[in-house]
Amino acid sequence: MDVLYTAEAVSTGQGRTGHVTAGPYIDLEVAPPTELGGSGKGTNPEQLFAAGYAACFHSALHAVARAHKVKIDDSSVGGRVHLGPNGQGGYQLAVLLEVVLPGIEHDLGQQLADEAHQVCPYSNATRGNIEVTVTVSED
């Protein structure tokens, strides 16, 4: 692979309870959510993954829309990352991406979202590994 960019992050502490840094702007305490017995007083890895996936997918969506000469104003992508048991003593993730494209007809919006799902690096990295559902909604 020809590398265009490399992101770096460091986790200290005890993994899910500790601290993460990445570049000059991310400097966060991490803690498990209360649903997993944690304090909930910090960001957790699933939230970071949801934020990264949503932002990356949104960028891919804009690139696809530009290629089709479709203007998508006030668009948004919400990411939900679900964590659950995998039935083998470990855990697995599932992702729901919700795309909102005001003023765009639903079928065109779904086409753009489906194409973005083929372009997005996060989608390409997770394809075949975890369930990812992409929906287009009105809000």
Side-chain angles (χ1 to χ4, degrees), residues 16-18 28-34 38-45 47-48:
R16 292 186 72 78
T17 304
L28 303 168
E29 295 299 316
V30 290
T34 56
S39 69
K41 295 182 188 247
T43 301
N44 64 63
Q47 289 170 320
L48 294 169

Side-chain angles (χ1 to χ4, degrees), residues 1 10 12 14 17 22-23 43 53 62 86 97 107 109 121-122 134:
M1 175 177 86
V10 175
T12 58
Q14 298 176 18
T17 304
T43 301
Y53 202 159
H62 276 271
N86 68 2
L97 296 172
D107 288 345
Y122 275 63
V134 179

Side-chain angles (χ1 to χ4, degrees), residues 92-93 123-132:
Q92 65 186 16
L93 300 174
S123 293
N124 289 329
T126 59
R127 187 169 292 107
N129 297 311
I130 65 174
E131 180 183 334
V132 177

Side-chain angles (χ1 to χ4, degrees), residues 19-107:
H19 199 89
V20 293
T21 58
Y25 302 110
I26 296 176
D27 188 351
L28 303 168
E29 295 299 316
V30 290
T34 56
E35 296 88 344
L36 297 179
S39 69
K41 295 182 188 247
T43 301
N44 64 63
E46 293 74 32
Q47 289 170 320
L48 294 169
F49 186 66
Y53 202 159
C56 187
F57 193 91
H58 201 192
S59 180
L61 183 66
H62 276 271
V64 166
R66 277 192 307 276
H68 285 281
K69 297 184 178 9
V70 174
K71 191 169 181 167
I72 54 172
D73 294 326
D74 301 320
S75 61
S76 65
V77 174
R80 289 190 182 106
V81 173
H82 304 289
L83 174 70
N86 68 2
Q88 300 171 350
Y91 297 91
Q92 65 186 16
L93 300 174
V95 174
L96 173 61
L97 296 172
E98 184 180 12
V99 177
V100 177
L101 297 166
I104 302 295
E105 187 262 309
H106 183 271
D107 288 345

